[in-house]
Amino acid sequence: MNRRTAISDKVPLLQRRALLQRGVRAFFEGRGYLEVETPYAVPTPGEEVHLRCFRTEIERPDGTRETRFLHTSPEFAMKRIVAASGLPVYQLARVWRNGEQSALHAPEFTMLEWYRPGAGLDSLMDETEALLRALLPPRVTLGATSLDLSLPFERLTMVEAFSRYVGVDLLAIGDDAKRLAREAGTDLRAGEEWEDLFFRLLLERVEPEIGRKRPTFLTHWPTAQAALSRRDPSDPRVALRFELYAAGIELANAFEELTDPEEQRMRFEADRARRVALAPDQDWPLDEAFLADLSALPSCSGIALGFDRLVMLAVGAPRLCDIMWFS
């Protein structure tokens, strides 16, 4: 099959993709959101430990050069807009993550992100559920999995999930990797720390069981995985964060946003130290503009949803490359 044929064969799916993009814009405009566009080449692409970034360079007319990175998410810039304006905003943004390639991963893809002032985690889950119902058919089939979107989406805390599928009390164990391995009935691998084991158990035992008959919100993550979310005031051992799973796909990641710049700086510095220890070339300055604006961010929740994965669900495509013009 030549490249021209491969593209033409995708046209019906790509037309559906274009319809979904229009549906996204209609949904958010109907709810009073402002569509924004933020820079893709930035001085600070994110602070995730395990994501690898693409590096580029700006050449100025005077001959000077400045390092830039293709962002892994528009999150920092979008939250600065919310902090300055108080407006709810959304964006269909191209994002880049180097070294990723699989049926569900690509080095360049489209992320749908939105941020709503005044929204808590429950409100954001309600809105996400409404978005999926507005864009997807009542029943979604992907491979052997069939989702019924007429059913209320499941809301499952991480503690409930580990109790049900791993057989452990996650919060009682804390960050004791040896105890977690013992009570989960597994061996701690060489060099494996608590976070590594947590994600191995999540991947191997929890994720295969959730979001199979109806989408599942996996909520209230341990604070070690808080990222940019705030702690739950009723239980500081967990963070106000959720991920959404549907038909075996991790579809979205969301936070009730942290607005304390000092706590966020400490988290960034800890993540930076771990990231650079793993990959010394993945180093860049802290986003001081973001940290300076963070204290002005109103109470707010935000979410990043993989738009390409949403299209996969809508059309029943098994691979990301099926619903991209080029891959």
Side-chain angles (χ1 to χ4, degrees):
M1 180 183 296
N2 62 41
R3 185 169 297 275
R4 180 179 297 174
T5 303
I7 293 171
S8 64
D9 288 346
K10 294 180 179 181
V11 167
L13 298 182
L14 295 168
Q15 288 171 329
R16 293 279 301 280
R17 178 190 178 99
L19 285 173
L20 284 168
Q21 287 177 315
R22 291 200 288 272
V24 164
R25 289 188 166 96
F27 179 88
F28 285 107
E29 288 165 11
R31 288 173 174 248
Y33 279 79
L34 175 67
E35 183 173 10
V36 298
E37 292 180 286
T38 58
Y40 290 171
V42 295
T44 302
E47 292 295 348
E48 297 90 344
V49 174
H50 299 290
L51 296 184
R52 292 189 58 81
C53 299
F54 288 89
R55 185 186 300 262
T56 187
E57 199 173 51
I58 290 178
E59 299 178 7
R60 302 198 181 280
D62 63 3
T64 59
R65 296 170 179 264
E66 198 170 321
T67 299
R68 288 287 187 271
F69 301 88
L70 297 179
H71 68 179
T72 59
S73 162
E75 179 172 7
F76 293 178
M78 291 184 72
K79 287 200 280 195
R80 290 183 64 197
I81 292 172
V82 175
S85 69
L87 295 171
V89 299
Y90 80 98
Q91 182 172 189
L92 281 161
R94 296 298 282 185
V95 298
W96 289 263
R97 299 179 180 185
N98 211 349
E100 298 194 359
Q101 190 78 56
S102 74
L104 292 175
H105 298 84
E108 178 184 354
F109 59 99
T110 300
M111 188 82 82
L112 168 61
E113 292 205 19
W114 72 95
Y115 295 85
R116 186 169 197 97
L121 214 60
D122 286 331
S123 177
L124 187 61
M125 285 189 277
D126 291 342
E127 189 164 60
T128 306
E129 192 167 337
L131 174 70
L132 265 63
R133 286 210 175 92
L135 296 177
L136 298 178
R139 184 168 290 277
V140 168
T141 301
L142 190 65
T145 301
S146 182
L147 287 180
D148 186 350
L149 294 185
S150 69
L151 297 173
F153 290 13
E154 183 180 27
R155 300 186 182 190
L156 184 69
T157 69
M158 189 67 77
V159 169
E160 292 168 338
F162 266 70
S163 175
R164 184 180 302 176
Y165 301 117
V166 184
V168 302
D169 185 337
L170 191 62
L171 295 184
I173 292 171
D175 61 0
D176 187 336
K178 291 181 179 178
R179 182 180 171 189
L180 178 57
R182 183 174 64 252
E183 295 193 14
T186 189
D187 294 324
L188 197 62
R189 296 171 179 171
E192 193 171 44
E193 298 181 352
W194 178 89
E195 182 183 59
D196 305 309
L197 178 58
F198 166 79
F199 278 109
R200 175 157 67 90
L201 294 170
L202 179 63
L203 179 66
E204 294 177 355
R205 302 195 192 178
V206 176
E207 290 186 0
E209 302 294 335
I210 61 177
R212 297 292 172 170
K213 295 182 178 178
R214 54 179 174 158
T216 297
F217 293 108
L218 188 58
T219 75
H220 295 80
W221 288 51
T223 52
Q225 300 302 317
L228 283 81
S229 62
R230 72 186 190 96
R231 299 171 189 261
D232 185 344
S234 66
D235 187 347
R237 296 175 300 173
V238 298
L240 295 173
R241 171 183 178 181
F242 72 73
E243 290 194 358
L244 174 61
Y245 293 83
I249 294 176
E250 178 199 326
L251 193 59
N253 185 28
F255 306 140
E256 192 166 319
E257 304 294 348
L258 179 65
T259 58
D260 181 340
E262 293 308 313
E263 183 175 353
Q264 190 64 78
R265 181 182 295 275
M266 288 189 293
R267 293 186 194 178
F268 279 168
E269 289 174 346
D271 287 344
R272 169 187 303 276
R274 293 173 58 215
R275 186 182 66 246
V276 174
L278 292 169
D281 65 315
Q282 297 294 291
D283 192 18
W284 39 78
L286 282 176
D287 191 332
E288 295 292 350
F290 168 70
L291 290 169
D293 288 347
L294 192 58
S295 60
L297 185 69
S299 175
C300 174
S301 289
I303 181 168
L305 185 149
F307 178 74
D308 307 287
R309 293 182 177 185
L310 185 68
V311 177
M312 288 175 63
L313 291 176
V315 303
R319 302 170 303 172
L320 278 183
C321 62
D322 295 329
I323 49 85
M324 294 177 169
W325 286 104
F326 297 97
S327 56

